Amino acid sequence: MKNNHNNCRICNKNIAPFMSFGEMPIANGFLSKDQFQNEYFFKMETAFCDTCKTFQLIDQPQPTKMFNENYPFFSSLSKYMQLHFEKFSEYILDNFISSKKDTFVIELGSNDGIMLKNFKNNNIKHLGIEPSTNVAKIAKDNGIETISKFFDENLAEEILSNYGKADAIFSANCICHIPNLNSVFRGVFKLLKDEGVFIYEDPYLGEMLKKTSYDQIYDEHVYIFSITSVKNIAERNGLELFDAERQITHGGSMRYMLAKKGSRKVSSNIHTFLKEEDNLKMNSINRFDIFKEQCEKSKKDLFDLLVKLKSQNKRVIGYGATSKSTTILNFSNIDENLIEYICDTTPLKQNKFSPGMHIPIKDYNNFKNNYPDYAVLFAWNHKKEIFDKEQDYIKKGGKWIHFIPEVSIEP
Ligand code: TYD
């Protein structure tokens, strides 16, 4: 969705891109050969609003191009994420739900029901909002009440009249996907009970800057939030950020806890985070000029390494066809010449090709049955789970290529 004259999506002030990543395809748009010709691309430029301090994409494809009946991301495929969502559910139940009776919770971006099943199992009235119909179907088939629509202020009103107000609205890896965020926050405000909470997790800007993990930037992530920006967005819409907690998921995330303004005591954590963000110059455009240089260096280092390994006739594959890898591959101009294939456990991605660069995506057994010399760890956020599983590859001399926080080889 083209932004109106490069105005900030939150506060409408004029913003200028500090960086272009070039033409990008849909990050989760794994495709077959006959779809190559009509592949959709958009110009991926990033900006930082000096007024409300929100990091954002200038342009974003129409949401229906990204979230539809072919969405290939199934949260429940990762064991670690299953566990994370169990703990996240417990956290909400223990801290914010006083009585399970008469409680109503809503999840925005409920995917295959990985989180809401923990509420369903506790007999708590719940509702999931999930626009990608294929993943929503899995949740519905498992008895999780789900609406397949995009959430905004209008949908909030519809939910309000059909279900009533909510005690808790939560979300993980979804709020940063939604361009019309003021409408979402206004919708949350309307739907929440006066003492209700709005809790969400998303990749954290501070981690992205610290690790130069620029692969967090792709079509779906129209925002990468900081404490400062969330505080500002909340304030514009009658809400208040009262607490926050770091999470290790998705390569470094933040859990934001919001409520209606004045309804809860603001934790000292917020003050500490705000100070830290200021100390790290995260609210200054100069920091993003440095980030740009770091991205350019990372791109060159990875490309040069792969060219060198190719000249040595080494076999290099990619491990994990993540959406994040779409940014790395397209920005760094890495194709099948440099990476033989990418292995992935998601059936919907297998036997397709990576968006833009068209590297084949293959079943995990291709890796298991014929180890390469090097594997580029695209699913770096699952390093522990993967390393635990791949002891044999490592024992047999297999090497990993990392690009976060900088390009390196292990062991
Ligand atoms: P993930 O990093 O969760 O998300 P994103 O797409 O948002 O960047 O995606 C992980 C991908 O890696 C997913 O396609 C599944 C795949 N994967 C494997 O192939 N093997 C594994 O052991 C794990 C943990 C993930």
Side-chain angles (χ1 to χ4, degrees):
M1 272 202 310
K2 189 68 187 160
N3 213 338
N4 191 14
H5 305 298
N6 289 4
N7 285 356
C8 171
R9 293 168 185 276
I10 304 298
C11 70
N12 214 27
K13 292 274 159 50
N14 195 258
I15 46 171
F18 68 84
M19 176 163 190
S20 172
F21 287 86
E23 293 292 316
M24 283 283 160
I26 300 293
N28 258 317
F30 296 89
L31 68 180
S32 49
K33 261 192 185 146
D34 58 313
Q35 294 172 313
F36 286 179
Q37 259 210 321
N38 292 325
E39 192 171 11
Y40 175 88
F41 286 87
F42 75 106
K43 195 169 171 195
M44 196 165 86
E45 293 176 306
T46 45
F48 179 73
C49 176
D50 214 16
T51 309
C52 69
K53 315 294 181 195
T54 308
F55 180 99
Q56 57 200 281
L57 292 184
I58 292 282
D59 196 1
Q60 192 198 26
Q62 284 290 344
T64 46
K65 279 206 183 301
M66 301 176 283
F67 308 109
N68 49 45
E69 70 283 3
N70 295 318
Y71 192 55
F73 187 84
F74 299 85
S75 301
S76 296
L77 282 182
S78 161
K79 275 194 223 123
Y80 182 82
M81 289 311 285
Q82 292 260 19
L83 199 65
H84 175 75
F85 283 114
E86 256 170 58
K87 285 199 200 137
F88 189 11
S89 306
E90 269 169 33
Y91 180 85
I92 293 173
L93 285 165
D94 292 349
N95 292 287
F96 302 111
I97 307 287
S98 47
S99 132
K100 288 176 187 166
K101 213 171 134 268
D102 302 325
T103 289
F104 176 42
V105 300
I106 300 174
E107 183 179 2
L108 308 181
S110 46
N111 200 272
D112 54 14
I114 187 171
M115 173 113 171
L116 278 180
K117 72 169 186 230
N118 301 308
F119 291 85
K120 179 184 169 273
N121 293 344
N122 271 294
N123 293 321
I124 290 177
K125 182 176 155 194
H126 61 271
L127 178 66
I129 312 296
E130 177 49 67
S132 299
T133 49
N134 59 335
V135 284
K137 185 176 180 306
I138 298 177
K140 286 182 196 168
D141 288 349
N142 288 325
I144 289 158
E145 177 113 11
T146 307
I147 297 181
S148 276
K149 285 187 179 170
F150 287 97
F151 183 81
D152 62 6
E153 202 175 357
N154 293 335
L155 185 61
E157 276 166 13
E158 208 180 301
I159 297 170
L160 192 60
S161 56
N162 292 334
Y163 295 83
K165 290 199 171 190
D167 296 84
I169 300 177
F170 44 82
S171 184
N173 314 309
C174 166
I175 299 300
C176 73
H177 294 172
I178 310 179
N180 51 343
L181 205 59
N182 287 318
S183 170
V184 168
F185 274 53
R186 283 197 301 269
V188 165
F189 182 88
K190 284 184 179 169
L191 260 180
L192 271 188
K193 289 184 184 166
D194 283 348
E195 64 286 7
V197 287
F198 173 36
I199 304 185
Y200 75 90
E201 299 177 359
D202 267 319
Y204 176 54
L205 184 69
E207 285 294 319
M208 183 182 88
L209 294 176
K210 189 169 98 189
K211 297 184 177 128
T212 316
S213 45
Y214 71 88
D215 56 349
Q216 293 290 4
I217 304 169
Y218 56 90
D219 55 0
E220 293 177 18
H221 291 178
V222 62
Y223 303 105
I224 311 277
F225 296 117
S226 61
I227 295 285
T228 311
S229 59
V230 172
K231 181 175 180 290
N232 288 338
I233 300 163
E235 273 168 11
R236 299 179 69 81
N237 295 292
L239 296 168
E240 188 168 44
L241 180 65
F242 69 87
D243 206 354
E245 202 177 75
R246 284 180 200 278
Q247 304 293 316
I248 57 164
T249 45
H250 284 280
S253 297
M254 187 66 81
R255 179 177 294 168
Y256 302 98
M257 295 172 239
L258 301 93
K260 290 194 173 175
K261 195 164 170 47
S263 70
R264 282 179 191 258
K265 188 175 176 298
V266 176
S267 154
S268 61
N269 290 339
I270 298 298
H271 177 71
T272 310
F273 277 128
L274 288 172
K275 226 171 136 195
E276 184 181 298
E277 290 186 352
D278 258 355
N279 289 342
L280 292 169
K281 310 256 183 294
M282 276 169 60
N283 292 321
S284 140
I285 188 73
N286 295 344
R287 177 64 187 90
F288 296 91
D289 292 334
I290 297 170
F291 174 68
K292 179 182 173 188
E293 281 169 25
Q294 291 167 325
C295 294
E296 300 282 2
K297 179 176 183 323
S298 174
K299 160 185 172 161
K300 185 177 179 313
D301 288 351
L302 184 61
F303 184 81
D304 289 352
L305 172 64
L306 295 179
V307 168
K308 189 175 104 189
L309 295 174
K310 168 95 183 168
S311 73
Q312 297 168 351
N313 287 323
K314 299 291 184 196
R315 279 188 65 222
V316 181
I317 68 109
Y319 197 108
T322 58
S323 9
K324 295 188 288 295
S325 67
T326 297
T327 297
I328 300 288
L329 295 167
N330 285 273
F331 182 55
S332 310
N333 207 14
I334 295 166
D335 62 13
E336 205 184 339
N337 269 317
L338 297 177
I339 291 186
E340 198 179 303
Y341 67 87
I342 303 172
C343 74
D344 197 284
T345 49
T346 317
L348 213 63
K349 295 181 185 177
Q350 292 160 3
N351 303 318
K352 292 202 173 152
F353 293 84
S354 74
M357 300 315 289
H358 304 161
I359 298 174
I361 311 297
K362 294 196 176 170
D363 182 300
Y364 170 68
N365 287 329
N366 285 273
F367 171 81
K368 197 80 197 150
N369 298 335
N370 185 12
Y371 286 144
D373 299 304
Y374 293 82
V376 184
L377 189 60
F378 288 124
W380 58 270
N381 46 317
H382 301 281
K383 181 175 174 186
K384 188 173 175 330
E385 186 170 341
I386 292 170
F387 273 40
D388 283 352
K389 199 164 74 178
E390 302 302 353
Q391 282 307 309
D392 186 53
Y393 169 64
I394 297 165
K395 271 195 209 111
K396 291 192 170 137
K399 293 191 187 321
W400 298 96
I401 295 176
H402 302 293
F403 47 85
I404 305 287
E406 55 195 8
V407 176
S408 64
I409 294 173
E410 181 181 0

